[in-house]
Amino acid sequence: MKRKVLLLVVMAALSLPSVAQDPDFWIFLCFGQANMAGMAPYDSNDGEASERFVKLSETTTFHGDKVYTWDKAKTPICRADAGLGMLESFGSVMLQRIPDNVRIGLVCAAIDNAPIDFFDKDAPQPPSSLCTDNNQLDQLQEYGGQPYEYLVRLARRAKNKGVIKGILFHQGETDGYSEEWEQKVVKVYHDLCADLGLEVLATPMFVGEVLRSEQGGTCAAVNDHIAHLPYVAHNVYVVSSEGCEGSSDHVSFSADGYRTLGTHYAERYLERMEEYMPRQSRQEEASSVTTVKVTQMSINADFDDDNDMWVEASEPLDRVDIRDSSGKLLTVFRFNGKSNLKVPIHDLLTQPIVLEFHAVSGNTRTIRFE
């Protein structure tokens, strides 16, 4: 009898309807502070959006029930009280460059002057206790008082419809002046991936620079710490704010500045896609030659019969760091200034790995094997 009951339970579980993900619906998680929300004035020309560019919204009914809807991502995108930001041009450039059958969906949470602790689920104090004014407190309440939980809640729903392709992050003007901030940013990134069941290897995070000093930015020192993030965690990419015009407050961007910054986000993401090397069958491709061309350095990788890799670089290399999909360092091979060397990786190809090549000049290049 016990066997029969168990069989019925298994059959019932198998009969439950499954939710199909649309691989042509690309989801991006977007969070940070005011520059992520957008602060520039906008007009009717900025208000139109494509049917292929949408955002997920959460509404609480009178009875306390939560309703989720996909709406066109038109200005303002993150919050009703926000202005024109970077996401409008990010979506516009992406839609011009990707196949016509692909749609883009956004999940957003952005609060003015928010420290990174607003998004740290393990922060010692609740976000409400960190608010510095009523305006910030009101914005926080739009996300139920817990912006991290809000992001995860909506992202889980978004995952049922599409595929999370990356995380867009812009924050730091408030507290991004230390290595501690760098570690907290990486923690939030890894927490999001863990709580959403995402592999770090397949979920890049893009961090935008703040307003530069040549544009009058008073928080430009944060860019030194933003530049260091890719060295703290794997699969983090810096988005340049070069040429992005600032506003009169010397912290936010002008409308044109946001348009330029959003374009930089899209272009950096598309560059990263070109660098990405899916490896469906390691054994079948072990004898193939792969070339990764980059702006300043190229890596030629030739696999021998033992699945070890012979590397030839366009400039002298210091080392190659090999990491797993979570970013954990597995081993390091030293080149010591040589531009070609055998890298014995055959024992590591049983799992997704990442090879980070570091040139003597400081240039880096990443190759990913799945």
Side-chain angles (χ1 to χ4, degrees):
M1 180 62 68
K2 290 182 179 180
R3 292 179 182 176
K4 185 175 181 180
V5 171
L6 178 61
L7 178 61
L8 289 174
V9 170
V10 172
M11 290 180 66
L14 292 175
S15 67
L16 291 174
S18 59
V19 179
Q21 290 180 311
D22 181 357
D24 294 327
F25 188 21
W26 296 3
I27 310 297
F28 291 89
L29 309 186
C30 314
F31 72 105
Q33 52 187 99
N35 276 326
M36 175 55 74
M39 300 183 67
Y42 61 95
D43 55 35
S44 58
N45 294 327
D46 296 307
E48 293 301 320
S50 169
E51 297 288 350
R52 295 169 55 208
F53 186 42
V54 296
K55 65 175 181 179
L56 184 59
S57 301
E58 178 187 78
T59 304
T60 302
T61 68
F62 178 78
H63 299 288
D65 299 322
K66 295 187 183 301
V67 178
Y68 300 90
T69 56
W70 287 101
D71 307 305
K72 289 172 64 175
K74 60 182 181 179
T75 309
I77 292 179
C78 278
R79 296 190 322 268
D81 66 334
L84 175 74
M86 69 185 73
L87 294 176
E88 289 87 345
S89 57
F90 168 78
S92 177
V93 173
M94 288 289 290
L95 294 181
Q96 293 172 21
R97 299 277 299 276
I98 61 180
D100 291 341
N101 62 307
V102 175
R103 296 182 300 141
I104 292 177
L106 305 179
V107 174
C108 307
I111 301 171
D112 295 356
N113 302 315
I116 190 60
D117 280 350
F118 269 36
F119 299 97
D120 184 356
K121 67 177 185 179
D122 299 315
Q125 296 176 284
S128 57
S129 68
L130 302 175
C131 288
T132 57
D133 55 50
N134 290 334
N135 183 58
Q136 195 178 48
L137 185 60
D138 290 342
Q139 293 176 10
L140 180 65
Q141 292 310 311
E142 289 193 34
Y143 305 112
Q146 295 289 343
Y148 178 85
E149 293 180 5
Y150 175 92
L151 268 176
V152 171
R153 184 166 64 249
L154 267 68
R156 284 172 176 161
R157 289 187 171 269
K159 267 185 65 178
N160 292 334
K161 298 295 183 181
V163 179
I164 295 178
K165 303 291 284 189
I167 299 172
L168 312 183
F169 176 69
H170 199 284
Q171 190 269 342
E173 292 93 338
T174 298
D175 57 346
Y177 302 90
S178 67
E179 293 183 2
E180 181 183 7
W181 175 83
E182 297 173 20
Q183 295 295 333
K184 288 182 178 181
V185 170
V186 172
K187 178 183 181 300
V188 174
Y189 170 38
H190 287 170
D191 284 347
L192 283 170
C193 289
D195 289 342
L196 293 170
L198 306 171
E199 287 192 11
V200 172
L201 179 64
T203 316
M205 182 175 181
F206 298 86
V207 182
E209 290 183 334
V210 303
L211 189 65
R212 291 188 171 194
S213 57
E214 60 265 31
Q215 296 290 350
T218 56
C219 302
V222 177
N223 287 333
D224 291 338
H225 293 280
I226 291 174
H228 193 240
L229 285 172
Y231 298 94
V232 179
H234 167 66
N235 222 8
V236 174
Y237 299 83
V238 174
V239 178
S240 172
S241 65
E242 182 178 5
C244 297
E245 183 183 72
S247 69
S248 58
D249 66 7
H250 303 293
V251 176
S252 60
F253 298 88
S254 69
D256 285 342
Y258 281 124
R259 294 185 183 101
T260 303
L261 184 59
T263 299
H264 288 179
Y265 266 89
E267 290 175 343
R268 191 67 188 96
Y269 176 77
L270 293 167
E271 288 171 4
R272 187 267 177 188
M273 287 181 63
E274 292 175 0
E275 294 172 2
Y276 188 71
M277 292 177 53
R279 190 171 176 83
Q280 301 298 333
S281 173
R282 300 182 182 86
Q283 298 300 324
E284 291 178 2
E285 299 180 9
S287 61
S288 66
V289 178
T290 305
T291 301
V292 180
K293 293 183 178 180
V294 299
T295 304
Q296 297 178 316
M297 177 173 66
S298 66
I299 301 292
N300 293 330
D302 189 1
F303 289 85
D304 62 21
D305 293 337
D306 295 326
N307 252 8
D308 286 328
M309 184 172 67
W310 288 88
V311 171
E312 181 178 356
S314 62
E315 60 180 281
L317 295 174
D318 173 50
R319 70 185 194 279
V320 56
D321 299 342
I322 302 181
R323 302 177 183 273
D324 64 14
S325 61
S326 70
K328 178 183 177 182
L329 184 66
L330 299 176
T331 187
V332 177
F333 290 100
R334 295 287 178 180
F335 280 72
N336 296 319
K338 297 180 180 180
S339 59
N340 58 80
L341 198 70
K342 179 180 179 179
V343 182
I345 62 173
H346 61 275
D347 290 338
L348 302 173
L349 290 174
T350 58
Q351 60 179 319
I353 59 172
V354 179
L355 279 67
E356 296 176 349
F357 292 91
H358 297 264
V360 174
S361 66
N363 291 332
T364 61
R365 187 48 46 193
T366 299
I367 299 180
R368 302 169 176 80
F369 294 113
E370 294 222 36

